[in-house]
Amino acid sequence: MLTLNTTQTQLAIEVSNLKKVFRKRDGLRGPIKEEWALKGVSFYVQEGETYGLLGPNGSGKSTLIRILSTLLTADGGTVRMLGYQLPEDETRLRRKMGRVSVDAAFYKKLSPRENLLYAAQLYGLEPRQAEKRAMQILEQLGLESRRFSDPIEEMSRGMQQKISIARALLINPPLLLLDEPTTGLDPKSRRDVQAFLEDLRAREGTTILLTTHDMAEAERLAHRIGFLAHGRLVAEGTAEELKRRAGTPDLEEAFIALTGEELDEEADSL
Amino acid sequence: MKEALKIARKELLTYVREERILLMVLMPLVILPLLMNLPFLLLGHYYQQAENKQQVIAIKGVPQELQHLLQRAKFVVQHSQNPRQAVQERQADVGMVYAEGRYTIFDRNSILNQQRSVATERTREVLQQYKEQVLLERLQSHGLELADLEPFAIEIQKTISEQQQALGLLAMLIPFAVVGLVISGGQAVALEATVGEKEKATIEALLSAPVAPWKLLLGKGLAVVVAALFSAFASMAGFALGNVFVRHNFSTQIEALPTDIRVQMGAWALTSTDLATIFFTSVLFAFFVTSVMLALGIFARTYREANTYLSPLEMLMLIPFLLFAFSDYVQVQDWFFAMPGLGVVVAIDTIVKGSYSPWQLGLTWASTLAYGLLVLFFAFRNFSREDVVFRN
Ligand SMILES: Nc1ncnc2c1ncn2[C@@H]1O[C@H](COP(=O)(O)OP(=O)(O)OP(=O)(O)O)[C@@H](O)[C@H]1O
Ligand SMILES: [Mg+2]
């Protein structure tokens, strides 16, 4: 079982009562529909801790990550990260966060090298050092360096995802936000990425917030896990705690039990 | 500022990688000049050949004296029962029949061809010469001179400026080309830098980087302006170089062209001050066009949506062209110079014609800058609004 060295007590992420609504108009003149993607989410992540967010499609995982990475602004609640407040300190926070999203998004006509150097320049890094660091990371992730200059559009999704992780780590961030980083990867690549994250955490003490659909991944990587359903955090704890609470032998059944229909309705009526 | 330059560099690199670089260079510097000059060259070549060739004339009822004159003008004279048919069947280049005090010349060119054939022109010249000869004989028998028949001379002169005359077709083409190419040249880069980033989802990484939105916009705008101006001025260079090249290497073909066609072909007769003024006007126009494209590109969710917005706008831009085509009948008013797009067309038109006034040019510059800033404000506002950038 994963345990965190609890001599560090500072919080890296502190989210309280976070809310987000998307407004959409039905047609040209229709009424404005409100869709609450987050209905008051509160949780914290300690420094050096890895927190796993599990939730079905549309539960608000990506929205949460987007708010933390300053792409969206919350409609309620507070976010504190690394001692900074959102949205006031967003520029300072951006320099300290790396983010990887499900779809490794790149400029397809450019090579991985050019993509990474472009990202490095946006963060004001020295190109030569950034390149050296990128090469190291890609090697650790098991990507052959001779492919470094091929156009990215010729690469498989797995390779692209690894490059995307390298991009997030260029700035050596103390905080890493990972939105389904291993979705769509083959088992070998998935294990490469997971091993890399474990190694990174051990070496650098990086704090990681991770969303995933993969129970095994959550159990392997996350110190604590939160179940998100319909924009609410419905359960939280270590994998053992969650299984115990649901009375089930594995995490997947605990997930189904704890995010099931009755629980949703109960949560909604609160 | 450094970040903005890096962003601009990346946008242009992405654009160039789309294998468009070859087209970007070939189109203005090779294909356009070729399209412009090839018809003139071919025509010149044809006239040159026709001039050196011995022309065959089929005649009927033509007096001996005129036949001599024709022979002296290098015609091969053939007697024929039906000169018209001989020309039709291509046995002769031109035909001539004299009957009842009238000379009829049979021309070989089709009805679509406005020009008469070289042989016809030459026949007419010979006939004119013969006419004057006959006339002179008759006058002299009455003690008069040929000049007595022409008490005064008549001349029609175009009032358009020498520069416009010298430019020929180019005078009409340059305002079209500059405005059209600034629009089309910037579009690909502008869309790639906005909806392109949305469609590929790269915009998320870009917006979560510690770069201020105005710097992102500046970088992207810079790339679009550069691409737009490159497209316009590479074509101008193509026109100029093509013209100089053709005049230098094919002077005999051009000499052989009839005067009116040669005038149409024109010569590169813009001064460097004119060029600089056109360039400055284009820079302002490119700024305006770039703002419009970025504002729309950021608003649109997909390429398709962006094109839906841009197509009608581009149609609107055609209105000045229409008006411009009727410029002989439309009185250009001062307020034309303050209209978006239209102002730039008429302004460049007056520069080319060498007839611009500082007040009108200033009006165009100031209004274009104002429109550009206004739209840029919208682009910036769109760019900093998450409900626009992440519209779903
Ligand atoms: N830009 C947007 N505009 C409107 N609605 C949105 C937008 N982004 C997300 N939503 C809505 O918010 C809800 C949460 O979406 P979100 O992408 O956060 O879910 P998720 O948990 O990441 O799902 P998945 O597992 O499929 O990635 C969904 O109902 C979605 O339709
Ligand atoms: Mg998601």
Side-chain angles (χ1 to χ4, degrees):
Chain A
M1 203 188 116
L2 283 170
T3 46
L4 186 69
N5 177 3
T6 46
T7 50
Q8 305 160 296
T9 45
Q10 225 200 316
L11 295 184
I13 303 179
E14 214 180 333
V15 170
S16 115
N17 200 24
L18 192 66
K19 291 178 181 167
K20 180 70 193 173
V21 62
F22 290 108
R23 293 191 175 84
K24 237 185 325 202
R25 200 181 271 279
D26 255 353
L28 264 182
R29 290 254 194 96
I32 292 178
K33 262 200 334 203
E34 288 195 343
E35 189 183 331
W36 289 88
L38 296 174
K39 301 171 185 165
V41 173
S42 305
F43 69 99
Y44 67 90
V45 183
Q46 285 179 9
E47 240 174 44
E49 189 183 22
T50 299
Y51 190 97
L53 265 179
L54 282 171
N57 296 129
S59 54
K61 303 183 297 294
S62 298
T63 303
L64 179 61
I65 296 262
R66 285 201 180 98
I67 292 175
L68 298 193
S69 58
T70 75
L71 287 172
L72 298 175
T73 44
D75 292 301
T78 57
V79 178
R80 274 188 80 77
M81 287 183 289
L82 307 170
Y84 296 111
Q85 189 86 27
L86 269 187
E88 293 81 0
D89 303 319
E90 74 175 21
T91 321
R92 251 167 296 173
L93 262 173
R94 281 175 182 175
R95 297 189 181 278
K96 296 193 180 312
M97 290 188 297
R99 173 172 168 272
V100 176
S101 65
V102 216
D103 35 270
F106 289 104
Y107 304 106
K108 305 272 191 244
K109 293 289 168 195
L110 306 185
S111 68
R113 186 172 167 276
E114 287 164 328
N115 267 288
L116 290 172
L117 287 182
Y118 180 55
Q121 283 164 347
L122 292 179
Y123 282 85
L125 301 182
E126 206 272 310
R128 207 177 308 235
Q129 270 175 321
E131 182 164 3
K132 226 167 84 186
R133 190 168 158 75
M135 293 292 270
Q136 270 174 4
I137 298 168
L138 288 176
E139 237 158 78
Q140 282 174 22
L141 283 167
L143 195 83
E144 300 155 79
S145 57
R146 66 178 172 83
R147 311 261 345 228
F148 209 40
S149 295
D150 296 350
I152 240 170
E153 60 187 348
E154 291 169 14
M155 302 197 160
S156 73
R157 242 192 64 75
M159 292 173 178
Q160 293 191 19
Q161 194 63 349
K162 289 177 181 177
I163 295 162
S164 162
I165 291 170
R167 178 170 62 185
L169 291 174
L170 275 179
I171 52 169
N172 197 10
L175 179 58
L176 205 50
L177 306 174
L178 304 175
D179 192 2
E180 301 183 32
T182 58
T183 299
L185 298 193
D186 66 25
K188 160 89 171 62
S189 299
R190 187 174 301 191
R191 258 175 286 131
D192 283 344
V193 170
Q194 289 165 355
F196 176 81
L197 291 175
E198 282 173 328
D199 181 55
L200 175 83
R201 191 166 65 188
R203 264 187 302 123
E204 311 276 350
T206 311
T207 309
I208 300 175
L209 176 65
L210 167 93
T211 80
T212 181
H213 292 289
D214 180 351
M215 302 296 155
E217 178 170 288
E219 270 195 274
R220 172 174 176 182
L221 290 177
H223 297 105
R224 282 185 306 135
I225 295 167
F227 286 166
L228 198 64
H230 298 281
R232 282 177 206 279
L233 204 60
V234 292
E236 192 187 49
T238 63
E240 295 306 318
E241 285 170 0
L242 289 167
K243 283 187 274 193
R244 209 177 318 129
R245 195 181 318 165
T248 53
D250 73 65
L251 195 60
E252 181 149 1
E253 276 172 45
F255 177 78
I256 293 168
L258 292 171
T259 61
E261 287 297 320
E262 325 87 77
L263 202 127
D264 273 350
E265 269 156 27
E266 212 177 274
D268 276 345
S269 60
L270 280 176
Chain B
M1 196 57 209
K2 219 177 97 195
E3 283 117 325
L5 286 177
K6 301 280 189 218
I7 292 165
R9 188 181 155 268
K10 184 235 108 201
E11 300 298 348
L12 288 171
L13 188 65
T14 321
Y15 177 62
V16 165
R17 283 282 165 80
E18 298 268 334
E19 285 120 46
R20 289 189 187 119
I21 186 67
L22 204 66
L23 207 67
M24 272 168 67
V25 175
L26 275 186
M27 188 70 194
L29 292 179
V30 179
I31 298 175
L32 261 181
L34 209 64
L35 281 180
M36 285 256 329
N37 291 305
L38 201 61
F40 290 111
L41 281 185
L42 287 177
L43 211 59
H45 179 73
Y46 162 74
Y47 273 102
Q48 196 186 15
Q49 266 197 339
E51 237 161 59
N52 295 335
K53 198 184 125 198
Q54 280 216 321
Q55 307 276 4
V56 176
I57 185 164
I59 55 167
K60 190 181 172 189
V62 173
Q64 203 65 40
E65 212 179 340
L66 181 53
Q67 286 184 32
H68 282 309
L69 284 177
L70 283 170
Q71 273 158 353
R72 234 192 293 151
K74 288 203 207 133
F75 275 106
V76 176
V77 176
Q78 252 175 25
H79 294 274
S80 162
Q81 274 314 300
N82 191 345
R84 186 194 165 107
Q85 198 181 351
V87 174
Q88 251 177 4
E89 289 169 0
R90 311 234 147 200
Q91 285 154 2
D93 298 291
V94 62
M96 186 197 274
V97 172
Y98 178 65
E100 297 160 17
R102 171 193 295 271
Y103 282 94
T104 310
I105 301 173
F106 297 106
D107 180 67
R108 200 159 81 172
N109 283 2
S110 76
I111 188 109
L112 291 176
N113 196 335
Q114 295 286 320
Q115 297 281 327
R116 295 189 195 102
S117 79
V118 175
T120 304
E121 283 302 334
R122 225 192 288 165
T123 308
R124 226 168 53 95
E125 279 165 26
V126 174
L127 208 53
Q128 182 67 27
Q129 193 188 339
Y130 178 59
K131 192 175 169 183
E132 282 172 15
Q133 199 175 306
V134 173
L135 209 57
L136 190 64
E137 279 163 18
R138 291 194 188 162
L139 287 171
Q140 278 169 346
S141 66
H142 288 83
L144 287 170
E145 284 301 315
L146 206 53
D148 294 325
L149 280 186
E150 218 175 339
F152 50 80
I154 299 174
E155 187 188 55
I156 298 171
Q157 268 192 8
K158 295 251 182 206
T159 56
I160 59 172
S161 71
E162 266 172 46
Q163 174 159 318
Q164 192 185 354
Q165 276 189 58
L167 280 165
L169 269 183
L170 284 172
M172 237 179 79
L173 210 69
I174 288 170
F176 276 83
V178 170
V179 169
L181 291 168
V182 161
I183 293 175
S184 67
Q187 184 167 337
V189 180
L191 293 189
E192 184 66 33
T194 49
V195 267
E197 295 241 22
K198 277 194 185 186
E199 283 197 349
K200 294 193 195 100
T202 46
I203 193 147
E204 295 206 351
L206 188 66
L207 290 177
S208 53
V211 181
W214 70 265
K215 281 186 190 166
L216 294 179
L217 206 59
L218 179 66
K220 287 172 183 293
L222 220 53
V224 181
V225 167
V226 166
L229 290 177
F230 177 84
S231 146
F233 282 86
S235 306
M236 295 274 273
F239 289 154
L241 293 177
N243 196 280
V244 169
F245 177 81
V246 166
R247 285 188 170 274
H248 195 261
N249 292 289
F250 299 93
S251 52
T252 50
Q253 278 89 339
I254 293 168
E255 286 304 313
L257 283 173
T259 329
D260 51 340
I261 299 185
R262 201 163 56 221
V263 165
Q264 271 183 19
M265 182 178 171
W268 188 255
L270 286 179
T271 67
S272 48
T273 321
D274 291 338
L275 263 181
T277 319
I278 294 177
F279 184 75
F280 184 70
T281 315
S282 318
V283 170
L284 287 173
F285 183 59
F287 164 66
F288 168 61
V289 168
T290 299
S291 302
V292 171
M293 284 174 179
L294 288 184
L296 287 179
I298 294 162
F299 183 75
R301 282 165 292 199
T302 57
Y303 261 100
R304 186 188 279 254
E305 192 182 334
N307 281 323
T308 319
Y309 299 142
L310 280 176
S311 313
L313 273 185
E314 275 160 18
M315 295 293 259
L316 275 183
M317 283 310 210
L318 287 180
I319 292 177
F321 290 145
L322 264 182
L323 197 135
F324 191 59
F326 291 101
S327 63
D328 281 348
Y329 313 101
V330 174
Q331 175 75 42
V332 174
Q333 313 282 338
D334 274 358
W335 60 265
F336 284 18
F337 288 83
M339 299 297 285
L342 174 64
V344 174
V345 176
V346 280
I348 296 180
D349 185 43
T350 55
I351 298 169
V352 167
K353 287 177 179 162
S355 64
Y356 61 88
S357 81
W359 144 250
Q360 289 172 332
L361 265 192
L363 201 59
T364 300
W365 290 348
S367 61
T368 308
L369 185 67
Y371 296 130
L373 286 173
L374 187 74
V375 184
L376 187 67
F377 167 75
F378 281 107
F380 181 74
R381 220 185 49 161
N382 279 352
F383 210 58
S384 9
R385 275 178 53 185
E386 64 172 58
D387 56 327
V388 175
V389 177
F390 297 108
R391 229 150 50 94
N392 204 326

